[in-house]
Amino acid sequence: ITEKGYDIYDNEGNVSKKVLEDIKNDPKESFHLMVNMIGFLYERYKHNKAPITLLSIDNLSKNGDVLKDAILTVAKLYVEEGRYEEEFLDYLSDRTKVSYPWTMIDKITPASDDNVKDHLEELGFEDIGPFERDNKAPLYMYVNSEEAEYLAIEDNFTNVRPDFSKVGCYLVDRETVDKIETMKVTACLNPLH
């Protein structure tokens, strides 16, 4: 979703008006993904309080903490309004119930390329864009990316961990994810591209 999807604050550090408007409604019918997720997490909480791992693979520093902050902030707003009970916040904060691992991904995704579009159309794909959005930015139904990629995931799963062996990622501790990210943004990985 990119870093914009986690952004629940305005330029002054307050919860944005869009989020505050969104939480007046049922979270499952909201427009902001962080508000929307609260609805699904609350259903899980009410059903069985089963452990869950919320894994962000967005190219965002310390993405697990950013996700956790957004989730807890929005959930707290629902609790303050009296729509959800305080124990729901306890569930979301309990490391044995909900985990928010850090990940580091380095896969450059440049702007959608017309050569990729042409190739997909030759294969029979239709209506793949570009489409115009409200902000006039083009929207494509595909993503192209460079071949070089790196993925490190903090091995912090509260429930069943998927088998990541087929996708070539590194399962490591949080400190190592942080070191790999530092390596990426300084001199080791990005300049190699």
Side-chain angles (χ1 to χ4, degrees):
I1 60 173
T2 77
E3 63 274 4
K4 293 178 187 108
Y6 301 86
D7 191 11
I8 61 168
Y9 301 104
D10 63 20
N11 292 338
E12 296 170 8
N14 301 311
V15 175
S16 74
K17 289 180 183 175
K18 280 186 170 185
V19 171
L20 292 174
E21 283 292 314
D22 223 7
I23 64 166
K24 292 177 182 175
N25 304 310
D26 183 322
K28 291 181 284 181
E29 297 174 5
S30 70
F31 292 99
H32 197 290
L33 182 59
M34 294 300 113
V35 178
N36 197 254
M37 285 181 60
I38 293 301
F40 295 113
L41 290 166
Y42 188 72
E43 288 295 320
R44 187 179 187 94
Y45 165 78
K46 292 299 285 182
H47 179 69
N48 61 10
K49 298 179 181 70
I52 188 169
T53 298
L54 301 178
L55 184 67
S56 166
I57 307 195
D58 281 305
N59 192 4
L60 182 63
S61 181
K62 298 171 179 51
N63 50 15
D65 286 350
V66 174
L67 175 59
K68 181 179 182 179
D69 175 63
I71 293 292
L72 292 178
T73 299
V74 172
K76 185 176 179 185
L77 292 170
Y78 277 102
V79 168
E80 287 172 354
E81 285 193 358
R83 294 173 65 190
Y84 292 158
E85 55 273 17
E86 186 78 32
E87 291 78 17
F88 177 53
L89 271 177
D90 296 338
Y91 167 75
L92 295 173
S93 302
D94 183 344
R95 292 177 160 208
T96 66
K97 292 290 184 183
V98 183
S99 66
Y100 308 83
W102 288 7
T103 65
M104 186 292 305
I105 188 161
D106 192 19
K107 182 164 183 90
I108 295 176
T109 306
S112 299
D113 186 282
D114 285 336
N115 291 324
V116 175
K117 178 183 184 292
D118 295 343
H119 178 67
L120 291 171
E121 287 173 342
E122 287 173 16
L123 293 172
F125 289 90
E126 299 175 1
D127 299 324
I128 57 176
F131 305 100
E132 197 172 284
R133 296 186 287 186
D134 292 342
N135 65 2
K136 307 294 184 214
L139 173 68
Y140 293 82
M141 301 308 287
Y142 65 90
V143 175
N144 52 275
S145 62
E146 293 184 347
E147 289 182 29
E149 64 183 25
Y150 312 93
L151 174 61
I153 300 174
E154 177 187 359
D155 194 3
N156 177 20
F157 290 78
T158 57
N159 208 329
V160 177
R161 182 184 73 205
D163 178 10
F164 291 112
S165 64
K166 296 177 183 158
V167 296
C169 74
Y170 304 98
L171 289 168
V172 295
D173 59 21
R174 180 171 281 201
E175 181 182 8
T176 303
V177 172
D178 194 37
K179 287 179 181 179
I180 293 170
E181 182 171 34
T182 300
M183 211 168 55
K184 174 184 98 170
V185 297
T186 55
C188 295
L189 299 181
N190 281 350
L192 294 176
H193 289 181

